[in-house]
Each structure stands twice: as structure tokens, then as C-alpha cells.
Amino acid sequence: MRVIVLAAGTGSRMGEIINGANKAMLPVNGKILIDYLFDFFVWEYINEVIVIGGYCYDNLKEYLDKKNNSCIKIIENTDYLKGNIFTLIKGLEQFSGDSFLITNVDHLYPPEMFRTMIKSFKDITLMCDFDRKLDDDDMKIQLNNSNGSIKMISKYLDQYDCGYIGMTYVDISKEKIYRNAVEKVLKKYGENAVVENILQLLADEKETTPQICDLSGFGWYEIDTKEDLIKAEKALLNNKNFEQK
């Protein structure tokens, strides 16, 4: 399995805290953001981690190169000011014929969550939870009542069942279907296309509708703003699931 890490954005909502660096390099209680992600992975299940940088690419590349980890590949998306589907495409271009997990770099997940996730790794599966309070910027999911598959995914849903927590698994058996959906979304939305558009397109067809993996109860943190950072740093001090390795 490959992991595609989307790490190309400008992190503009963080303001001066970013200080001319890639968001993945943001310290959170003294630990670099992307290192939380690396500690989250159970590496025995992963063949390669493809990190796609963009904004302030050089400092992220330098940091990852120093790790000297042959399983980590860092590549650049020079179109990082366009929709984040272009970042995803850069990752997908690096391989074929394999299952993969897509994740954002600015989410902090507890390591024990990964071993629960892998039990649900089949077809196209979105990682979700039902216990996190969602705000206007969170991606919301409405489920089909008949089988619990995804009906709609959007930030703008008035009625929804759960929240998408920023990770999608695509099994090798569904790889071509997912890649075809990427192309269709790109043609439809152009430079404004985002990764979540792919999920809605798949949900629109019964044969390709994604399923969900319920990860309620684990607790995780998204860092989009200075306020998010402050809350996460405080919460992490009392969360044994995030003890540093």
C-alpha cells in the first residue's frame, strides 16, 4: 500500500505562525506536524509514503531528506495555488497497480487509530466519525439509509450523519475507478477541482459509492488556524494516545 500525503497548501489561515515555512513543518508542542503523521502510520503495512509539497517546498524537502528513510518520497506540486486535486494527481502519477491511502498533513491522529482502520480497508472507504462537533468548514457526510453508504459529501449540508476526517482508502481492485473519477472531476471543475469532488462523483453512482469506516471515540485534531493550534496543544498534554515515541 502507498500513502499519499497532501502537503502543498500555503497554510494562510495560520497567519504569521507559519513564518515562511511549509505547514507540515509547524511545531506542535515542540514536535513537527508531519512527524505526528509518521508516528501515526503502522509502517509494516506501507510500501511507500509519497509526500507532495508545494508552498515553501525546499524546507520540507530538506527536512525529509535528512530522515534518510527510503520509504519516504518527496515531490513538488508547482500548481499548489490551484485546487488540491492537482496535488493528489502528482501523487497518483508516481505509481500504478497498488492500493493507497490519501491523507492531509495537517491532521493529528492517534497511532492506535491506524490498526482499527486497516480492518476496514476494502473497496473505497472514507474515514469518518460521529462524535465530533462540526463547524462550517468541516466536511459533512449524509448516508444512504438502506446500506450506510455515502449519499452526499459537502461542507454545506444542512442535514448530515457524520463528518469526514480527511482520509480515504482506495483498494487496488477500485484503483482504475478512482483514477477515472479524478479525470472526470478535472474536466468538470478545472483549476477549482478539489479532492472531495471525486468522492461526490463516486457517490452519485450506485456501483462506485464509497463506504465509511467509523472512527468515533479515538479523538483527533485538525490544525487550520492559530486557534486550532492552541486547542490542540492544550488537549495533547492530557491525551495519552499521543505520547511521543
Side-chain angles (χ1 to χ4, degrees):
M1 181 181 76
R2 260 76 169 197
V3 178
I4 299 175
V5 180
L6 308 179
T10 63
S12 58
R13 284 185 286 175
M14 297 299 301
E16 71 278 2
I17 293 178
I18 290 295
N19 195 26
N22 185 285
K23 188 177 181 181
M25 297 293 293
L26 180 71
V28 182
N29 284 351
K31 181 177 177 179
I32 300 300
L33 187 55
I34 197 169
D35 285 337
Y36 281 94
L37 193 61
F38 292 151
D39 284 346
F40 164 67
F41 297 145
V42 179
W43 288 84
E44 63 191 87
Y45 295 99
I46 297 171
N47 298 319
E48 184 177 49
V49 175
I50 304 168
V51 180
I52 306 98
Y55 178 73
C56 294
Y57 172 77
D58 290 340
N59 76 311
L60 177 59
K61 184 179 187 303
E62 181 181 4
Y63 182 74
L64 295 184
D65 285 347
K66 287 180 180 178
K67 288 185 175 296
N68 197 28
N69 186 331
S70 60
C71 291
I72 299 174
K73 176 188 287 187
I74 172 75
I75 60 174
E76 183 177 12
N77 171 26
T78 56
D79 291 325
Y80 62 86
L81 293 178
K82 298 179 181 179
N84 67 354
I85 196 172
F86 292 90
T87 302
L88 172 63
I89 289 170
K90 283 290 184 180
L92 291 173
E93 288 174 349
Q94 303 302 307
F95 68 94
S96 63
D98 201 358
S99 304
F100 55 93
L101 178 72
I102 304 165
T103 184
N104 296 311
V105 77
D106 57 358
H107 292 180
L108 306 180
Y109 305 112
E112 64 176 304
M113 182 189 285
F114 195 95
R115 291 195 180 275
T116 296
M117 286 168 46
I118 60 177
K119 299 174 184 177
S120 298
F121 280 180
K122 62 179 181 179
D123 300 331
I124 300 174
T125 303
L126 276 60
M127 311 305 145
C128 307
D129 66 19
F130 290 79
D131 59 352
R132 182 170 180 262
K133 184 178 179 181
L134 305 181
D135 59 31
D136 291 343
D137 195 53
D138 288 317
M139 195 62 60
K140 303 163 185 72
I141 291 177
Q142 185 181 105
L143 300 174
N144 288 302
N145 293 329
S146 58
N147 59 8
S149 62
I150 294 172
K151 181 178 181 180
M152 296 187 70
I153 176 168
S154 172
K155 292 181 179 181
Y156 310 109
L157 296 180
D158 293 325
Q159 295 183 344
Y160 53 88
D161 298 289
C162 58
Y164 173 58
I165 71 172
M167 288 185 285
T168 296
Y169 172 80
V170 180
D171 191 76
I172 186 173
S173 63
K174 303 295 182 180
E175 181 190 11
K176 290 183 179 179
I177 291 173
Y178 188 90
R179 289 179 182 271
N180 288 338
V182 172
E183 294 300 321
K184 291 178 181 178
V185 166
L186 193 59
K187 290 178 180 178
K188 182 175 181 179
Y189 295 100
E191 293 186 1
N192 296 317
V194 295
V195 174
E196 288 75 22
N197 294 146
I198 303 167
L199 303 178
Q200 184 59 61
L201 186 145
L202 291 168
D204 288 341
E205 299 294 333
K206 183 178 180 180
E207 295 77 12
T208 61
T209 302
Q211 303 294 315
I212 69 165
C213 171
D214 181 6
L215 296 170
S216 302
F218 282 98
W220 61 281
Y221 311 100
E222 182 175 8
I223 300 182
D224 278 332
T225 66
K226 290 183 287 185
E227 291 74 22
D228 289 340
L229 176 61
I230 293 170
K231 290 179 181 179
E233 287 189 322
K234 183 177 180 180
L236 285 168
L237 294 175
N238 300 307
N239 191 331
K240 294 182 179 180
N241 291 330
F242 284 89
E243 290 181 350
Q244 295 194 17
K245 297 182 178 180

